[in-house]
Amino acid sequence: MQLSVVIPLLNEEDSLKELHDWIVSVMQSNHFLYEILFIDDGSTDNSWQIISGLSANNPNVKGIRFFKNFGKSQALHAGFKAVTGDVIITMDADLQDSPEEIPALFKLITEEDYDLISGWKKKRYDSVLAKNIPSKFFNWAARKTSGVKLHDFNCGLKAYKLDVVKNIKVSGEMHRYIPVLAKNEGFTKIGEQIVQHQARKYGKTKFGMERFINGFLDLITIWFVSKFGKRPMHFFGALGVLMFFIGFSFALYLGIDKVFINPTGRLITDRPQFYISLTAMILGTQLFLTGFLGEILIRSRPNETRYTISEKVNL
């Protein structure tokens, strides 16, 4: 199997047949051995019936259906577990990603030995205020915090070596930052290819204000996980020791002042420095214990990505 095309989707019944025919045309014209894997993320329309029909007519079409909507990250994770191709292509089901880009992406992986190629939609047809400006902000911040020099982290059109998708864990809503996850696992040859962006032909965008907020929170998470995910004690422990040292220094000052300098002065508990000292030492102890517990959790519990599969076809 040369190519596996993974397509997560939610309520895209109008575009699936056209997308399938377009992909098949590209595969046949390039003589690829391929599979198309649709991941139905709990659609409430006729998407799964269409996928089942496509699979019945084309043995290269496979499908996974979730009981409910678990999110794009979980859909990709399920797809990555199931694929077998040497090169994995991910793309959206809304016809905004062009299958004509697949041969060029395939060559970059197989001939230039890239681990991952991310599409860059340099010219976009999305709303400027609703999507373009937030995307530019997140891409800039992701470049600064991760060191991965890409212009469009969230582009759905990407190509991977099989080893990459089998070794990364896409959980939560981390599909936006898959290149960073790949880098964290040691896959450092990451490139970028300008791809064509199509205007949406059917349906409505799934983008909403909550994605702006979630994207910001995910960015903080990916920065922390990248830097301290495997050594939380280095962050919480260092912060805890610093806070405890500040509190202890105030306590030592108060003790020396009361015993040797001003023994007839105010009670220690009447001085504001006492409460600063007490608070700092309590916070320091709690932060240190947080780091300690984090280290125990990392060593005792593997990361789990949860979803429930309802049906499969051709798998």
Side-chain angles (χ1 to χ4, degrees):
M1 187 73 66
Q2 292 173 291
L3 269 168
S4 295
V5 183
V6 178
I7 306 172
L9 63 106
L10 175 65
N11 296 331
E12 297 287 357
E13 61 180 357
D14 295 325
S15 62
L16 291 177
K17 178 66 166 59
E18 185 175 340
L19 177 61
H20 164 268
D21 294 346
W22 195 358
I23 293 173
V24 170
S25 174
V26 171
M27 296 298 173
Q28 290 177 345
S29 63
N30 288 273
H31 307 291
F32 286 133
L33 298 175
Y34 71 96
E35 63 180 357
I36 304 172
L37 178 55
F38 291 101
I39 315 294
D40 184 353
D41 187 20
S43 294
T44 56
D45 61 4
N46 293 318
S47 293
W48 182 249
Q49 288 74 17
I50 294 171
I51 293 168
S52 298
L54 293 173
S55 179
N57 295 320
N58 181 356
N60 296 316
V61 174
K62 304 176 182 181
I64 294 175
R65 185 186 189 189
F66 289 172
F67 267 112
K68 67 174 187 177
N69 177 232
F70 285 94
K72 187 174 181 178
S73 291
Q74 282 67 24
L76 287 173
H77 184 80
F80 290 165
K81 286 180 65 177
V83 292
T84 58
D86 296 329
V87 176
I88 315 303
I89 302 290
T90 60
M91 63 191 309
D92 294 333
D94 55 12
L95 295 174
Q96 291 191 278
D97 296 329
S98 171
E100 301 293 342
E101 309 285 353
I102 291 175
L105 295 173
F106 179 80
K107 287 182 180 179
L108 286 169
I109 298 292
T110 56
E111 296 180 9
E112 299 192 29
D113 200 34
Y114 279 96
D115 295 317
L116 186 158
I117 294 292
S118 181
W120 174 18
K121 297 173 181 176
K122 195 170 183 179
K123 182 179 179 181
R124 302 185 66 100
Y125 292 94
D126 298 313
S127 167
V128 173
L129 291 177
K131 200 165 185 179
N132 282 6
I133 292 177
S135 293
K136 288 181 184 296
F137 167 74
F138 286 127
N139 288 321
W140 171 83
R143 285 195 298 272
K144 294 297 182 181
T145 56
S146 69
V148 179
K149 305 302 181 183
L150 297 178
H151 290 86
D152 193 356
F153 282 81
N154 197 30
C155 178
L157 187 57
K158 289 183 174 65
Y160 313 78
K161 283 184 179 177
L162 181 63
D163 285 346
V164 176
V165 303
K166 296 299 184 182
N167 283 281
I168 60 175
K169 296 180 177 65
V170 190
S171 59
E173 294 191 20
M174 290 301 171
H175 58 273
R176 299 178 181 91
Y177 304 110
I178 286 180
V180 182
L181 299 177
K183 180 191 174 187
N184 291 344
E185 293 298 326
F187 299 101
T188 56
K189 194 167 183 184
I190 298 172
E192 189 171 53
Q193 173 81 357
I194 295 175
V195 296
Q196 183 180 2
H197 185 221
Q198 311 278 123
R200 176 176 274 274
K201 190 172 181 180
Y202 304 107
K204 296 185 294 184
T205 180
K206 310 298 189 298
F207 184 87
M209 192 60 192
E210 71 279 358
R211 286 184 61 185
F212 184 90
I213 298 169
N214 292 341
F216 177 73
L217 296 175
D218 288 339
L219 183 61
I220 296 173
T221 302
I222 201 70
W223 170 81
F224 182 84
V225 169
S226 299
K227 202 168 183 64
F228 301 107
K230 296 180 180 178
R231 44 191 178 93
M233 180 60 85
H234 288 204
F235 178 78
F236 292 107
L239 206 57
V241 169
L242 175 63
M243 292 295 293
F244 190 89
F245 176 76
I246 292 171
F248 182 78
S249 298
F250 272 106
L252 185 63
Y253 160 74
L254 290 171
I256 293 173
D257 182 67
K258 184 63 177 176
V259 174
F260 298 107
I261 300 174
N262 191 17
T264 60
R266 287 186 298 170
L267 292 174
I268 290 178
T269 54
D270 290 337
R271 303 178 65 173
Q273 293 91 336
F274 170 78
Y275 296 100
I276 295 174
S277 170
L278 184 64
T279 302
M281 285 194 288
I282 291 173
L283 286 175
T285 302
Q286 289 178 331
L287 286 168
F288 186 87
L289 288 174
T290 299
F292 183 71
L293 291 173
E295 293 284 344
I296 293 175
L297 287 172
I298 284 174
R299 285 158 175 74
S300 63
R301 185 178 180 182
N303 183 30
E304 296 180 355
T305 301
R306 302 188 63 183
Y307 47 80
T308 307
I309 292 174
S310 169
E311 298 179 63
K312 294 182 180 180
V313 290
N314 237 356
L315 283 172

